[in-house]
Amino acid sequence: MMKRWQAFKRLLPLMASIALLLSACGREDLSALRPQGPVAQGSYDLMKLAISIMICVLLVVFGIATYVWIKFRRKKGQTEPPEQVEGNFKLEVIWTVIPLILVFILAVPTIQKVFAMGEDYTKDKNAVHVKVTSHQFWWEFEYPDYGVKTAQDLIIPTNKRISFQLKTADVLHSFWVPSLSGKIDTNPDGTINKWSFTAPKEGVYLGKCAELCGQSHALMEFKVKAVSPESFDRWVAAMKEPAKLPEDPQIAETFKNQCLTCHAVGDQGGPAAPNLTGIGGRETVASILINDESHPVKENLKKWISDPQKVKPGNLMPKVDLTAEQIDGIADYLANYKLNY
Amino acid sequence: MAHAHSVKHHKGLMDWLTTVDHKKIAILYLVAGGLFFGIGGIEAMLIRIQLWKPLNNFVSAQTFNELITMHGTTMIFLGVMPIIFALMNAVLPLQLGARDVAFPFLNALGFWTFFFGGLLLNLSWIMGGAPDAGWTAYTPLASKAFSPTHGVDFYTIGIQIAGLGTLIGGINFLATVITMRAPGMSFMRMPMFTWASFITSAIILFAFPAITVGLVLLSFDRLLGANFFEVAAGGNPILWQHIFWIFGHPEVYILILPAFGIISDVIPTFARKRLFGYSSMVFATILIAFLGFMVWAHHMFTIGMGPVANALFSISTMLIAVPTGIKIFNWLFTMWGGQIRFTTANLFASAFVPTFVMGGVTGVMLASAPADYQFHDTYFVVAHFHYVIVGGLVLGLFSGLFYWWPKMFGRLLNETLGKWTFWTFVIGFQLTFFIQHFLGLMGMQRRIFTYLPNQDFDTMNLVSTIGALLMAVGVIIFFVNIVITMSKPKGVANDPWEDGRTLEWTIPSPPPEYNFKQIPLVRGLDAYWKEKQAGNTEMTPSEPVGSIHMPSASILPFVMSVGLFIAGLGFMFSRDEFSNSFLAGIFNNYVVVIIGLLITFICMLLRSVFDDHGWHIEPEELEEEGVKA
């Protein structure tokens, strides 16, 4: 134990400099190198330890190799062959034992963390429970304790354990929020996975599908929005309010007939497609059209509704037969459908 | 000339279609493997061009998925493995002091099934779409419901036929090493390349049946409506992953062990020093092969196997670092105190060592499951396995090709062009893949056809694409080198590197049909080097000059493979609807399948019923040829 700690201590300065170097890498809300929660931090600590050990190994190998290549080049006039060495028992033992020790140093925290991350919180009363169902190519989030269902933006309270049960409705996907936690696959019924993480800081974190799932695998992103517990409660309350339908009766009729057959808002509509309640306040449209000043949510919605296959090839939303006015009316309604929380 | 009238000697194309000579089969493997390697390389370039900037639309999402699937499948099964087999065929019998492999007919059969399997797989591009579910073909994505074209059928049937060839080849090499070593060549005197080939063949023997079973199940699911991987009907898609990886991980060692073998032969030759720690090298190789079967689930850490399985597979995977480390240091200390000459072959071998170590250390990092939750299915993994396969195996193959080219073709590849290939390829390789480690850690998942801007991915992807183009330049220079070299006359010495240590350098380049006029007597490890040190210029023969028994050429392996090819195509389209009633009749009633299988079975019957005792080269003929040479 003592020895391990000493080896570890010697690695500390190296680890510190690597951490400094790596933390310059990537976006805070996306990079696995800039962890924003304890689970991602756990993976990151292991990475730092592993990288430090590995850099030592690389330095030794590169050092010997460079020395050998320079020192032992064949010189002019060397006709007599060099001494033929069969081997060296001592050396060979050394380079068998040292890797074993290095592996041991890495193995101990690995096992500790595997079990820590594998902890089952699905029965935990204090946790917020979320059922994740992945679809080609969108994410469904259900909060069974609150009777609320949403899509694409996962709203979670800060500093609370979020306990996930994940499955897929079609092919395999993988649920990954790099800055909060490593990934976990979503399997079909029968092999439902459990996972959990917490987000100490408020913010919006990028999530991605990490398992090839078809044409729009690349576009199957989602957001994790960590908000204060009070704000989370307000969001749940807002989600449970009755549906707010378009004011214009013609648009409302079209929306009911054309959209709510698959989609749902509030207490109305079907479960086949992403829930649209409060879509105007989400970070993206269809997970890939980012809502910002130059691309307001209404423009994105219009772009999406007028040709979904162009935005996200292979997805299940058909090009619905709508006039330009109808598209504009529906987009306008959805863009203004925001929740206060 | 006594026998020559009774034996039919083919000329031209027929010679190549009927040959059972391991040296010619090696060339066939090399040409076919090189062709598929080129196709896989073009696919790689298209992938990198698509990814050079965010939201590029050079290819569609569907085409991109087909490209990544075919790039992986082609490179592994049809590109590098056949080139490995080319070197094994060209060199292994020579290193053993044998006149051919144990089963020359099977050797030809192995090549032709591989070739027609590969051809079938690549026909998918022009017959309704290539497979698009990744080279791992995870179900349910690879099932009929989510991949409705015939792409995945081409994958399952094509690889089954090609895999048959690999399995046949593996068994053949096992038998060859066990039974055909020259007198005095004990196991512990075999050159490392032969050892590596031997162990690789053993891995093939145990790993390929697993994928064959998996592919049969998957093709039954898709073509006959079975339910092995269908959840709704009680199947389990995770089962596919276990089957795939219990083959797939040993496959990694099938790829890398021959490269270890090549390096272990090239480095001692050009350092003029015997391999450091030969016996520990042998045991490390065996240990790697053994452990290679114990680690498959590390490809599945995120599938939810639970902490116990994840912990166990983490540890077993990390342990592989130990025998691999032994090898690395043995190579370094082989060079230590040597007199190193940097020919192109040795440049590639030397670059192999640090590059492979980089792939190895990221492998150990991946082995740590909780860290792998972040690495898994990102560009970090892409970088890792390209370091192992390209930085390891492909550098090894280049080294081996430059090293044994004079033995195979009687001409030395141009060294200047060779060095150009080396520098462009190696620099291009590092540019392409080093940066991908960071892309992965920064959140770029693998197998994505595009990415949004403002994620800090743009510059790194551009650099990666430039590197890939540089690698392509290196490969093109290599092809130019081949063309230039082959247009020159033959005529290199038996031992063109002057420091050859093993038996292949004791015979002419290229060797005569029968390899060794007299089978040599082996008196130690590095048999030829030992003789040279004793002041001899050639090996002591272990037999008097006598009549040499040779196997007869045969067209049967070719025809048998054509039969399998036809049957495969027929099976694939057996459930399709055809507007043409003739086509519907022959496909839907399995007529095509039956015709194909009949061709194959009739060939097998012919082979069994008519004994072919081969033919002999008489001593006087050997003398004649000796004069000619």
Side-chain angles (χ1 to χ4, degrees):
Chain A
M1 211 51 206
M2 197 57 213
K3 212 165 189 182
R4 199 186 120 214
W5 173 239
Q6 272 177 356
F8 190 73
K9 260 206 301 206
R10 242 169 268 149
L11 286 175
L12 275 179
L14 185 68
M15 284 176 68
S17 50
I18 289 166
L20 208 67
L21 203 73
L22 290 182
S23 62
C25 277
R27 265 165 62 162
E28 199 179 13
D29 56 352
L30 173 62
S31 175
L33 300 174
R34 303 181 70 180
Q36 304 296 315
V39 179
Q41 184 67 43
S43 294
Y44 182 59
D45 290 343
L46 258 184
M47 266 184 233
K48 278 192 294 186
L49 174 67
I51 292 178
S52 311
I53 296 173
M54 295 314 154
I55 285 182
C56 295
V57 173
L58 287 180
L59 287 178
V60 172
V61 171
F62 286 10
I64 297 176
T66 317
Y67 176 76
V68 163
W69 291 337
I70 295 169
K71 180 82 200 293
F72 298 107
R73 295 183 76 114
R74 187 164 175 183
K75 294 166 193 79
K76 276 202 181 115
Q78 272 183 334
T79 47
E80 275 303 298
E83 190 197 344
Q84 303 291 305
V85 186
E86 237 177 80
N88 183 319
F89 185 72
K90 237 185 236 166
L91 274 176
E92 288 174 59
V93 169
I94 288 174
W95 63 60
T96 310
V97 172
I98 291 181
L100 266 173
I101 296 173
L102 294 180
V103 163
F104 183 75
I105 295 175
L106 188 58
V108 173
T110 294
I111 294 176
Q112 284 170 346
K113 290 223 166 73
V114 164
F115 282 91
M117 288 186 190
E119 201 85 36
D120 182 1
Y121 289 96
T122 48
K123 302 276 183 296
D124 187 345
K125 292 245 158 35
N126 297 320
V128 174
H129 299 275
V130 180
K131 282 189 171 166
V132 177
T133 308
S134 52
H135 302 256
Q136 275 181 329
F137 303 92
W138 60 281
W139 296 90
E140 179 184 326
F141 305 112
E142 188 190 346
Y143 301 71
D145 296 347
Y146 304 99
V148 166
K149 214 185 238 187
T150 185
Q152 302 301 34
D153 282 15
L154 169 67
I155 314 288
I156 57 169
T158 51
N159 287 318
K160 277 207 131 182
R161 169 116 356 232
I162 317 296
S163 163
F164 297 98
Q165 288 187 41
L166 310 98
K167 65 166 186 172
T168 176
D170 37 55
V171 303
L172 304 186
H173 304 271
S174 192
F175 178 83
W176 186 34
V177 194
S179 54
L180 290 179
S181 133
K183 58 190 75 66
I184 181 82
D185 294 0
T186 61
N187 301 330
D189 270 331
T191 38
I192 290 176
N193 276 331
K194 295 162 186 165
W195 193 250
S196 80
F197 60 64
T198 56
K201 278 191 267 181
E202 282 183 36
V204 180
Y205 306 97
L206 260 71
K208 301 193 171 204
C209 171
E211 180 68 63
L212 178 64
C213 57
Q215 285 190 58
S216 283
H217 164 54
L219 310 177
M220 191 176 158
E221 301 196 346
F222 60 100
K223 295 283 192 296
V224 176
K225 210 167 173 177
V227 297
S228 68
E230 301 76 41
S231 175
F232 177 73
D233 291 338
R234 285 198 293 275
W235 176 76
V236 171
M239 283 296 288
K240 295 182 90 155
E241 278 169 25
K244 192 175 85 179
L245 286 175
E247 280 155 18
D248 181 335
Q250 268 178 331
I251 295 292
E253 195 56 27
T254 319
F255 182 70
K256 264 188 184 167
N257 294 337
Q258 301 280 18
C259 307
L260 289 187
T261 41
C262 301
H263 294 278
V265 281
D267 49 353
Q268 296 192 31
N275 187 304
L276 301 177
T277 316
I279 188 176
R282 288 191 192 152
E283 301 289 320
T284 63
V285 171
S287 82
I288 209 70
L289 300 171
I290 295 172
N291 303 329
D292 55 24
E293 271 142 39
S294 49
H295 305 89
V297 55
K298 189 181 163 189
E299 292 310 307
N300 283 340
L301 279 163
K302 277 166 78 174
K303 189 172 170 189
W304 168 250
I305 298 168
S306 34
D307 194 352
Q309 293 302 320
K310 202 176 156 193
V311 178
K312 223 170 177 177
N315 86 84
L316 287 178
M317 174 152 161
K319 193 168 169 177
V320 184
D321 193 20
L322 295 168
T323 63
E325 290 82 56
Q326 284 170 326
I327 291 179
D328 192 74
I330 290 172
D332 191 61
Y333 149 70
L334 288 174
N336 290 312
Y337 198 153
K338 293 180 182 166
L339 303 177
N340 273 323
Y341 58 97
Chain B
M1 297 299 281
H3 70 286
H5 306 289
S6 60
V7 175
K8 208 170 155 198
H9 277 280
H10 298 285
K11 286 263 174 303
L13 181 66
M14 260 325 255
D15 179 29
W16 290 102
L17 297 185
T18 58
T19 186
V20 293
D21 178 356
H22 72 98
K23 298 175 288 295
K24 283 187 176 157
I25 291 175
I27 293 170
L28 286 174
Y29 265 119
L30 187 61
V31 171
L35 176 77
F36 287 125
F37 185 86
I39 295 174
I42 291 168
E43 284 154 4
M45 289 307 124
L46 297 178
I47 292 171
R48 278 319 319 169
I49 292 171
Q50 165 67 13
L51 291 175
W52 79 269
K53 65 170 187 183
L55 297 176
N56 197 6
N57 54 5
F58 176 69
V59 293
S60 72
Q62 177 62 27
T63 312
F64 187 86
N65 285 356
E66 292 175 18
L67 283 172
I68 55 161
T69 306
M70 286 300 281
H71 167 69
T73 314
T74 305
M75 280 301 195
I76 288 188
F77 291 102
L78 313 175
V80 290
M81 279 185 68
I83 298 177
I84 291 171
F85 269 62
L87 288 178
M88 285 188 191
N89 259 304
V91 177
L92 184 131
L94 304 184
Q95 286 197 333
L96 287 175
R99 294 218 166 93
D100 206 320
V101 292
F103 305 111
F105 180 90
L106 274 189
N107 202 10
L109 181 62
F111 169 75
W112 288 112
T113 46
F114 140 70
F115 179 74
F116 280 103
L119 197 65
L120 187 69
L121 182 53
N122 274 280
L123 275 183
S124 61
W125 284 116
I126 51 168
M127 292 180 71
D132 56 359
W135 88 281
T136 49
Y138 276 11
T139 53
L141 185 62
S143 68
K144 196 87 191 156
F146 295 102
S147 187
T149 68
H150 275 299
V152 178
D153 298 326
F154 278 102
Y155 169 92
T156 56
I157 308 282
I159 296 180
Q160 267 175 78
I161 297 175
L164 207 60
T166 310
L167 192 56
I168 291 172
I171 292 170
N172 204 351
F173 288 128
L174 278 178
T176 307
V177 170
I178 293 172
T179 60
M180 299 189 57
R181 284 166 288 126
M185 170 84 67
S186 63
F187 271 96
M188 290 310 279
R189 284 178 182 175
M190 292 198 309
M192 268 320 286
F193 178 69
T194 297
W195 255 115
S197 306
F198 180 58
I199 295 170
T200 303
S201 304
I203 306 178
I204 289 175
L205 182 65
F206 291 106
F208 263 75
I211 189 71
T212 308
V213 168
L215 291 170
V216 168
L217 300 186
L218 184 56
S219 50
F220 278 16
D221 264 18
R222 289 181 55 92
L223 295 168
L224 303 176
N227 296 307
F228 294 105
F229 308 118
E230 197 66 53
V231 187
N236 186 349
I238 311 299
L239 176 65
W240 165 261
Q241 299 190 19
H242 281 288
I243 297 175
F244 186 87
W245 287 117
I246 208 163
F247 147 80
H249 199 81
E251 169 70 20
V252 176
Y253 297 103
I254 294 173
L255 298 178
I256 199 63
L257 289 187
F260 286 175
I262 294 166
I263 303 305
S264 304
D265 275 7
V266 171
I267 285 180
T269 301
F270 293 107
R272 307 182 85 201
K273 206 166 148 273
R274 73 173 264 164
L275 187 65
F276 192 92
Y278 170 83
S279 37
S280 66
M281 286 299 244
V282 171
F283 287 112
T285 312
I286 296 173
L287 198 58
I288 291 173
F290 179 76
L291 286 172
F293 280 95
M294 309 288 157
V295 299
W296 77 93
H298 70 214
H299 296 270
M300 302 163 59
F301 280 151
T302 65
I303 201 76
M305 294 184 298
V308 177
N310 279 4
L312 282 175
F313 280 101
S314 287
I315 305 300
S316 61
T317 306
M318 287 178 192
L319 284 180
I320 294 190
V322 178
T324 315
I326 293 175
K327 283 184 159 286
I328 300 290
F329 286 105
N330 278 338
W331 288 319
L332 290 176
F333 279 80
T334 301
M335 292 190 270
W336 190 291
Q339 299 166 357
I340 307 171
R341 198 150 51 101
F342 283 109
T343 57
T344 308
N346 198 31
L347 275 177
F348 275 111
S350 305
F352 170 97
V353 177
T355 319
F356 181 77
V357 173
M358 287 174 74
V361 296
T362 49
V364 181
M365 291 172 66
L366 285 161
S368 173
D372 182 70
Y373 297 156
Q374 290 284 18
F375 303 140
H376 184 73
D377 265 338
T378 68
Y379 262 80
F380 188 86
V381 175
V382 175
H384 158 72
F385 66 69
H386 280 96
Y387 262 86
V388 177
I389 296 179
V390 182
L393 172 63
V394 175
L395 292 188
L397 287 177
F398 270 123
S399 175
L401 285 173
F402 275 92
Y403 181 59
W404 282 305
W405 199 273
K407 189 49 67 187
M408 289 177 78
F409 296 99
R411 306 166 176 93
L412 280 163
L413 283 169
N414 183 304
E415 279 288 302
T416 315
L417 285 177
K419 280 170 185 165
W420 273 99
T421 299
F422 173 78
W423 289 111
T424 45
F425 191 83
V426 169
I427 293 171
F429 165 77
Q430 299 287 358
L431 273 182
T432 311
F433 294 110
F434 183 71
I435 218 156
Q436 289 185 358
H437 292 117
F438 296 93
L439 274 175
L441 294 172
M442 286 160 54
M444 183 164 164
Q445 73 277 46
R446 71 190 271 214
R447 292 167 162 176
I448 51 173
F449 80 96
T450 193
Y451 50 94
L452 289 177
N454 302 321
Q455 301 188 88
D456 293 350
F457 296 167
D458 309 7
T459 323
M460 290 189 176
N461 271 301
L462 177 61
V463 171
S464 191
T465 300
I466 294 171
L469 294 173
L470 204 56
M471 285 169 79
V473 170
V475 174
I476 291 169
I477 297 176
F478 182 66
F479 282 121
V480 171
N481 196 346
I482 292 176
V483 172
I484 292 177
T485 305
M486 296 316 276
S487 65
K488 291 193 176 135
K490 289 182 192 179
V492 299
N494 290 2
D495 181 13
W497 306 115
E498 289 159 11
D499 294 313
R501 310 176 73 85
T502 40
L503 290 179
E504 73 267 33
W505 306 112
T506 63
I507 52 174
S509 316
E513 202 175 356
Y514 46 84
N515 296 351
F516 296 90
K517 194 158 119 186
Q518 293 162 287
I519 300 290
L521 180 71
V522 175
R523 300 203 284 194
L525 178 67
D526 292 336
Y528 185 33
W529 177 264
K530 210 169 174 69
E531 298 295 334
K532 284 198 268 192
Q533 290 316 101
N536 303 330
T537 51
E538 51 188 34
M539 301 297 298
T540 317
S542 67
E543 59 175 12
V545 178
S547 153
I548 296 172
H549 177 234
M550 299 297 292
S552 305
S554 170
I555 192 72
L556 289 181
F558 177 82
V559 180
M560 277 168 85
S561 309
V562 172
L564 286 176
F565 176 83
I566 294 171
L569 265 184
F571 186 45
M572 212 181 290
F573 290 94
S574 56
R575 291 266 182 117
D576 279 32
E577 281 175 27
F578 295 90
S579 50
N580 179 321
S581 65
F582 172 71
L583 283 180
I586 60 167
F587 276 100
N588 295 353
N589 297 320
Y590 296 99
V591 177
V592 182
V593 183
I594 292 166
I595 291 176
L597 288 179
L598 268 183
I599 293 175
T600 305
F601 284 128
I602 289 173
C603 287
M604 287 164 80
L605 187 76
L606 288 176
R607 172 76 183 163
S608 316
V609 172
F610 296 102
D611 280 351
D612 185 336
H613 296 293
W615 52 286
H616 287 82
I617 299 179
E618 302 304 333
E620 53 268 34
E621 233 178 333
L622 292 173
E623 294 309 315
E624 257 173 59
E625 285 192 33
V627 172
K628 255 188 278 166

